[in-house]
Amino acid sequence: MCHTCAHTSGHPRATVLPQGRSPVPPETPFPTQDPPWEGRGKEKDLPAGMEGRGEEAPEPEVSEPSEEDEEEEEDDGSGVRVTPALLKATTGEFSLESILLLRLRGRGIAHLGCLADCSNLEWLDLSDNAIAGLAPLATLRALAVLNLAGNRVASVEPLRGCRSLRQLNLAGNRLRSLRQLRCLQGLRHLESLRLRDPLGNLGNPLCATPTYRAALAAMLPGLKAIDGQRVAGRGSELFRLCRELDAALDADAAPAAPAEPPQPWVQAGFWEPRPPRRSAVLEEATRQLGQALRECRELGRRADDSIAQAQRALGRCHHGNFGF
């Protein structure tokens, strides 16, 4: 037996049903298009004038998500979470506070979880994961080396608390502006910062600006190396000369004047063999050596004659009659 519903002016009206059947409540009619289990209660909270039309209330306008909101949305996604069991199985340490060096490269990690409990951590490799939020790193005061290459980081604000940080690798992330790196100005020990890695084909959107390295060096004057190139301290002059040489080779060279013939850098006759120098001592030593060689040859000849005579004498004795 079917139910029939009459709609007048957009309002449903329940009809009389046979005995034993309960009528359908007016506020929850069965729509003609949606299945019963999807249409119940839709018209209860609709604005006036929209009852019975099968339409939903218009969604409120929302502003474009900021970088922090974007980070939180990505952080809520699926992925591996860092747990005490994972850390203990990786390092073999019973206590998280005993971990000094930690390598979690390429584990599919999206949530740093309990990493904040590793309070004495000094070296951390989190490269090639799916990490967006860095909040647990804010409490790692002893952290000196941090590798976050190949992740989804769009904000490094939590790294403000890593007061001992010296080397930071952020290549292959989602940093769009140098303003996002101003939080690193308080890290007085920071010496090396990498935003781009040509060998691994990793970079950040802000690396599309050709002058980002000069601006970064001005913003963080304590840096000694940017993207693996020395900008201050020992060896920086070599990198500067190489950059100038590359710029000179890339620029359009003006027509050069005819080159002068090459001039020798040594005096004439420098490579010719010099005549031997005469020395009385050398001549006397040479004479004595020749005389000793002649005497040796004479002694050798006499020895050969003596041996031959002895062999002949022994041969005659062997064939003679001795009267035994």
Side-chain angles (χ1 to χ4, degrees):
M1 184 175 295
C2 63
H3 298 175
T4 58
C5 297
H7 297 268
T8 304
S9 300
H11 294 278
R13 183 178 61 188
T15 59
V16 179
L17 299 177
Q19 188 176 2
R21 297 289 183 177
S22 59
V24 179
E27 62 275 12
T28 57
F30 292 159
T32 57
Q33 296 180 354
D34 297 333
W37 52 85
E38 295 183 358
R40 296 182 183 271
K42 277 190 176 181
E43 298 182 356
K44 184 176 181 180
D45 298 327
L46 294 180
M50 299 185 63
E51 297 86 353
R53 298 182 184 179
E55 300 177 357
E56 296 182 357
E59 297 181 357
E61 296 182 0
V62 294
S63 58
E64 186 178 354
S66 61
E67 294 173 359
E68 290 76 7
D69 298 336
E70 203 172 277
E71 177 183 341
E72 291 177 359
E73 290 176 5
E74 292 177 356
D75 191 57
D76 291 338
S78 60
V80 178
R81 179 180 294 273
V82 176
T83 62
L86 174 63
L87 296 179
K88 293 177 181 180
T90 302
T91 62
E93 298 286 348
F94 180 77
S95 174
L96 300 185
E97 297 180 355
S98 302
I99 301 176
L100 302 179
L101 186 148
L102 183 58
R103 182 184 178 93
L104 296 174
R105 182 176 184 178
R107 300 287 191 94
I109 297 173
H111 311 276
L112 297 183
C114 65
L115 203 58
D117 296 335
C118 303
S119 56
N120 296 317
L121 193 62
E122 298 179 359
W123 191 96
L124 178 59
D125 185 358
L126 293 170
S127 58
D128 298 330
N129 285 291
I131 300 168
L134 305 179
L137 301 182
T139 59
L140 302 183
R141 307 295 184 186
L143 188 62
V145 179
L146 176 59
N147 187 356
L148 288 168
N151 281 280
R152 302 176 182 175
V153 177
S155 173
V156 294
E157 186 67 25
L159 299 184
R160 186 191 300 269
C162 302
R163 300 295 183 180
S164 302
L165 196 60
R166 294 182 179 272
Q167 299 180 19
L168 177 59
N169 189 346
L170 293 171
N173 283 279
R174 301 180 179 181
L175 298 172
R176 299 180 178 87
S177 171
L178 288 177
R179 293 192 302 269
Q180 298 172 291
L181 300 176
R182 289 179 180 174
C183 59
L184 304 180
Q185 291 178 333
L187 305 181
R188 299 183 178 181
H189 300 287
L190 187 62
E191 298 179 352
S192 175
L193 177 60
R194 183 182 289 273
L195 298 175
R196 182 173 176 267
D197 186 359
L199 297 179
N201 196 22
L202 299 175
N204 282 272
L206 66 87
C207 297
T209 305
T211 59
Y212 81 93
R213 289 180 182 171
L216 186 61
M219 185 176 68
L220 302 174
L223 289 179
K224 295 182 179 180
I226 298 177
D227 296 343
Q229 298 185 7
R230 300 285 295 187
V231 295
R234 185 177 181 181
S236 59
E237 292 296 324
L238 176 60
F239 282 100
R240 183 182 61 81
L241 292 175
C242 291
R243 288 195 301 269
E244 293 177 356
L245 180 61
D246 291 339
L249 293 176
D250 294 338
D252 295 332
E260 297 180 358
Q263 300 294 330
W265 58 278
V266 295
Q267 299 178 357
F270 179 83
W271 302 109
E272 296 179 1
R274 299 179 180 180
R277 297 173 57 183
R278 299 181 63 84
S279 172
V281 177
L282 182 61
E283 292 178 357
E284 179 64 20
T286 303
R287 187 188 63 78
Q288 293 180 5
L289 178 61
Q291 183 178 356
L293 291 176
R294 288 192 296 271
E295 292 177 357
C296 289
R297 293 192 190 98
E298 181 65 21
L299 291 175
R301 187 184 62 79
R302 291 178 183 179
D304 292 338
D305 294 341
S306 299
I307 292 173
Q309 293 176 5
Q311 289 177 348
R312 287 194 296 271
L314 289 174
R316 288 195 298 270
C317 293
H318 180 72
H319 294 91
N321 185 7
F322 295 98
F324 293 133

